Amino acid sequence: MDRKGLLSSPLKNRGCTDIVPLIIFVLYLGGMAIVAVFSVNYGDAFRLVYGYDSYGNTCDEDNTGKNINNISLSGLNQKGKPFLFFMDMNNPSESLAICVNTCPDRELQDIEEVYQFSVQTGSFLCRYDIDIERYTHTNRSQLGPCPITPVKTSVPLLNRCVPSELMRLPFEISSSIIKYLNDTDIFQNILTDLYKSWKEMFGLCFLSFALSLIMVLLIRYIASIIVWLILAISVIASTASSAFLWWTYAGFKEKLDHDQRVNLPLLSAEIDSEIIFLIFSIIATILTLLLLLVILIMRKRISLVVTLLQEASKCLAAMPCLLLQPVWTFLLLIVFFVFWVIILAYISTSDKVTINKHGFVQYKEHEIVVYFWWYHLIGLIWSSEFIIACQELTISGAVASWYFTRDKDGLSIPIGKSMCRTIAYHLGSVAFGSAIITIVKIPRLLLTFVKKRIKNADNCCATYCLKCCTCCLWCFEKCLKYLHSNAYTIIAISGKNFCISARKAFRLLTSNILQVSSINSIGDFVLFLSKIGVVGATCAVGIIWLKSHGDLHNFAIPVLLCCVFAYFVAHCFFSVFESIIDALLLCFCEDCDLNDGSVERPYFSSKSLMASFFLLLT
């Protein structure tokens, strides 16, 4: 490394690094834009929520201009008609379906009562081209044009009109209706839940943002107290989350056991909810027990964390705007996340039109859409890692500037300069580093997918090998992430490309491996507990809030997604301290490698920082 460049600050005269990976990343984003344009042109996200009639019209949407060839009643304006009504409610899968304003709120014994209901409510129950005055003179069948009478009293379930006394109907009929509802595509159910609960999900995301900000401010000002408070809050939050999960599971189980005793048909969404919450409850309980065990073992070494956080707080006090970096990261992540979910909804509805034996429209998945799913998923991983890596490189550059400046009071806008250096010179290195993490994640996702597909197979050896490979890839990914964060610090100091910086970071870390692992294990453990505390609190509020949302297929999915996002948000905030601690440690190791504390080669570190690190490294 150029010693002359390090004697005052991180290298100023630097050039662009890793240009080829940046070009590839930009081209990949261009591919995502093409996928988005294709999906918006050929898909219809509202079809997931409201469904579509037998002529391909999406309910509660203006379909003008979306005519389907040879289908005369396609391309109609169905605005204000959110419910799907079937001419034969007893056999919805074979029946003509139309969009209506209101589901029949009373039993209609004959066609005359159907006519009266349509006049009174404006909800026309016969085919669109049948004038209301002709209702009483029109045929009635499951293929239309008017419904088979009597029309049962119905309620909107998943935006479909189904008999309100579904469980009292003959078993064959109720089973047919439930089968129709259960046959709904699982991605459609998930995306419908996300659409219906988006307000609550936004609320939970901002709750995680507020909790993370409060925790970071507390660490900044009262590190000596907050460390123990973090441990207590984490234990309480984990215990409370486990209790809430078991309580929710018990509620589902009690209801399903009751329905089973009285021989009532069961919705698959309810069965899935019971299984999911049982798994969540077991995992949460195991994690809580492990948390208590680790705290018990490491209780005597927690005081070292206080010293680390106090030193990091000094750096943060000199550059308080570092706390704003997670805000920008949070905003970028949430904007990209919203874009990704919206395009995902359009991708899932980019289907091709087919005509069934009755001449009704059905949408079948297009062959190319399968590849779009994977392309879009990889884009989510790579882009998210890229955004987080930009934050890490910006923070590392600012910390390195602060460390390698002797007159720290005269330091001028280090964060702004670090951000400009990142954008001007090192986006290629960020793209390269995030691509490596993405490449490691993809095989793990594929192995997880394969493991689920062969979970019922008798080959135990293959299943065991898949689990081992998945575990090894997970460990490898964590090691790479840790090396990446330190490589970004070297990039910020030296201005070298990613591979050279990663090699230099690896040499510095391995030469002090015992001390470094001791420091990082304790500090990262406490900060990890802070993240778990935020996730646990978000999970508990999400369960209580979304459990009262009665029209969701499975509210566990929105809760799980909010918990994942809460972890990303908490990681963005607490990674400030993680990045500062890691960068200070690496800067100290580099300082010791270049200087010996003599008059000719004095250390850059302050005396208090030097004493603290020597205390921790001995």
Side-chain angles (χ1 to χ4, degrees):
M1 184 177 295
D2 183 7
R3 178 172 300 188
K4 184 178 179 180
L6 279 174
L7 289 178
S8 59
S9 65
L11 186 67
K12 294 180 180 179
N13 298 321
R14 57 181 72 202
C16 296
T17 58
D18 300 304
I19 298 176
V20 173
L22 180 61
I23 294 174
I24 295 174
F25 180 66
V26 171
L27 291 176
Y28 196 96
L29 293 180
M32 290 187 68
I34 293 174
V35 170
V37 171
F38 174 88
S39 303
V40 171
N41 285 337
Y42 291 94
D44 185 356
F46 289 98
R47 195 191 308 152
L48 295 172
V49 181
Y50 298 108
Y52 60 95
D53 63 17
S54 297
Y55 306 105
N57 301 298
T58 302
C59 295
D60 202 29
E61 184 176 296
D62 187 355
N63 301 276
T64 304
K66 300 179 182 179
N67 302 72
I68 300 173
N69 293 335
N70 302 322
I71 303 296
S72 59
L73 294 178
S74 64
L76 300 180
N77 185 356
Q78 304 288 24
K79 204 68 179 175
K81 301 178 180 180
F83 306 116
L84 205 58
F85 174 77
F86 305 96
M87 296 298 162
D88 182 6
M89 289 187 178
N90 296 334
N91 189 13
S93 59
E94 297 292 329
S95 173
L96 170 67
I98 62 172
C99 301
V100 297
N101 304 348
T102 307
C103 295
D105 56 359
R106 59 183 182 272
E107 186 167 323
L108 309 176
Q109 296 292 339
D110 51 37
I111 192 62
E112 180 64 33
E113 292 190 12
V114 170
Y115 168 77
Q116 294 296 334
F117 174 82
S118 299
V119 170
Q120 294 170 6
T121 63
S123 185
F124 306 115
L125 303 185
C126 291
R127 201 172 60 197
Y128 306 128
D129 59 342
I130 303 299
D131 188 87
I132 189 172
E133 301 299 333
R134 296 170 49 200
Y135 277 20
T136 54
H137 307 290
T138 307
N139 294 330
R140 302 179 295 280
S141 71
Q142 70 175 12
L143 302 181
C146 286
I148 296 175
T149 54
V151 177
K152 300 289 185 182
T153 304
S154 61
V155 293
L157 179 61
L158 312 181
N159 287 95
R160 277 75 171 167
C161 295
V162 299
S164 56
E165 297 184 350
L166 178 62
M167 300 309 178
R168 297 185 181 181
L169 295 175
F171 180 77
E172 294 79 8
I173 296 176
S174 61
S175 297
S176 174
I177 297 175
I178 290 177
K179 182 179 182 302
Y180 170 78
L181 297 174
N182 288 342
D183 284 342
T184 307
D185 186 77
I186 184 171
F187 288 108
Q188 178 177 338
N189 292 341
I190 292 173
L191 293 171
T192 300
D193 288 344
L194 297 181
Y195 176 80
K196 290 184 177 179
S197 60
W198 69 269
K199 294 181 180 178
E200 291 82 358
M201 292 177 66
F202 265 105
L204 292 173
C205 289
F206 280 101
L207 173 64
S208 65
F209 177 86
L211 291 174
S212 300
L213 181 60
I214 291 171
M215 293 288 283
V216 167
L217 291 175
L218 290 175
I219 293 175
R220 160 68 182 87
Y221 292 106
I222 50 173
S224 58
I225 300 174
I226 198 60
V227 168
W228 295 102
L229 188 60
I230 286 173
L231 297 176
I233 290 176
S234 299
V235 172
I236 293 172
S238 299
T239 305
S241 298
S242 300
F244 273 120
L245 288 168
W246 282 112
W247 171 66
T248 306
Y249 164 71
F252 276 111
K253 182 174 175 56
E254 182 180 1
K255 181 181 182 301
L256 291 176
D257 289 346
H258 174 267
D259 292 345
Q260 195 171 18
R261 283 195 300 271
V262 297
N263 295 322
L264 294 177
L266 304 178
L267 285 171
S268 62
E270 294 179 334
I271 299 174
D272 291 342
S273 295
E274 180 193 13
I275 296 173
I276 288 174
F277 275 101
L278 175 61
I279 295 172
F280 285 179
S281 302
I282 294 173
I283 293 174
T285 303
I286 293 174
L287 291 177
T288 301
L289 294 175
L290 289 176
L291 174 62
L292 292 171
L293 181 61
V294 171
I295 291 175
L296 182 64
I297 295 173
M298 302 180 65
R299 66 187 186 280
K300 294 183 179 179
R301 305 176 68 186
I302 300 299
S303 58
L304 296 177
V305 178
V306 176
T307 303
L308 276 175
L309 293 178
Q310 286 174 340
E311 294 301 329
S313 296
K314 291 181 182 179
C315 179
L316 197 58
M319 299 178 290
C321 288
L322 281 176
L323 288 176
L324 293 178
Q325 299 309 305
V327 177
W328 306 123
T329 304
F330 171 81
L331 293 176
L332 285 174
L333 281 175
I334 199 169
V335 168
F336 178 74
F337 177 75
V338 170
F339 163 79
W340 189 86
V341 170
I342 291 174
I343 299 303
L344 180 66
Y346 279 100
I347 290 176
S348 65
T349 54
S350 299
D351 305 323
K352 58 183 180 181
V353 177
T354 61
I355 309 298
N356 66 11
K357 61 183 179 181
H358 301 304
F360 299 153
V361 171
Q362 289 184 332
Y363 289 98
K364 300 295 183 181
E365 186 177 65
H366 201 285
E367 296 83 359
I368 197 173
V369 171
V370 177
Y371 302 101
F372 284 176
W373 280 96
W374 284 104
Y375 192 90
H376 201 56
L377 177 61
I378 294 172
L380 170 66
I381 299 172
W382 194 357
S383 300
S384 300
E385 293 291 342
F386 180 87
I387 293 171
I388 293 174
C390 284
Q391 173 185 289
E392 292 180 352
L393 185 53
T394 300
I395 293 175
S396 297
V399 173
S401 296
W402 177 80
Y403 185 94
F404 288 106
T405 300
R406 300 198 183 280
D407 182 15
K408 292 179 169 49
D409 293 332
L411 195 62
S412 175
I413 53 174
I415 301 174
K417 291 179 179 178
S418 177
M419 187 179 298
C420 290
R421 284 196 300 268
T422 299
I423 296 173
Y425 301 111
H426 302 307
L427 286 182
S429 297
V430 173
F432 189 28
S434 55
I436 294 174
I437 297 296
T438 304
I439 291 171
V440 175
K441 281 180 179 289
I442 293 171
R444 189 157 65 86
L445 291 173
L446 290 173
L447 288 176
T448 303
F449 174 75
V450 172
K451 186 174 67 175
K452 289 182 178 179
R453 294 297 297 269
I454 66 170
K455 63 181 180 180
N456 296 324
D458 297 330
N459 194 333
C460 298
C461 181
T463 304
Y464 177 77
C465 290
L466 282 174
K467 290 181 179 179
C468 290
C469 291
T470 304
C471 181
C472 291
L473 284 173
W474 181 85
C475 295
F476 183 56
E477 177 190 335
K478 295 303 176 184
C479 293
L480 279 179
K481 277 194 171 184
Y482 179 70
L483 180 62
H484 279 41
S485 63
N486 289 283
Y488 294 140
T489 302
I490 298 298
I491 292 172
I493 296 172
S494 67
K496 302 296 183 181
N497 64 35
F498 181 83
C499 292
I500 295 176
S501 300
R503 185 169 64 249
K504 180 64 179 291
F506 182 76
R507 184 185 67 79
L508 289 174
L509 293 173
T510 51
S511 61
N512 301 277
I513 187 168
L514 295 178
Q515 298 89 340
V516 170
S517 60
S518 175
I519 292 172
N520 281 283
S521 61
I522 303 171
D524 291 348
F525 173 70
V526 172
L527 294 176
F528 174 74
L529 291 183
S530 304
K531 300 175 189 178
I532 295 300
V534 172
V535 173
T538 304
C539 177
V541 174
I543 289 175
I544 295 174
W545 195 358
L546 290 175
K547 196 177 190 309
S548 60
H549 207 304
D551 58 345
L552 299 180
H553 300 85
N554 190 343
F555 72 89
I557 300 301
V559 170
L560 176 61
L561 199 58
C562 287
C563 288
V564 171
F565 191 78
Y567 183 82
F568 271 109
V569 172
H571 175 75
C572 290
F573 276 93
F574 294 112
S575 63
V576 173
F577 275 97
E578 290 178 350
S579 299
I580 291 175
I581 292 172
D582 291 341
L584 285 176
L585 178 58
L586 206 60
C587 289
F588 176 78
C589 293
E590 180 67 10
D591 194 9
C592 292
D593 192 40
L594 292 170
N595 304 299
D596 56 9
S598 62
V599 177
E600 295 79 12
R601 296 166 59 189
Y603 293 119
F604 283 94
S605 171
S606 64
K607 293 182 179 180
S608 59
L609 182 63
M610 183 67 65
S612 299
F613 271 122
F614 272 129
L615 177 64
L616 292 171
L617 290 172
T618 56

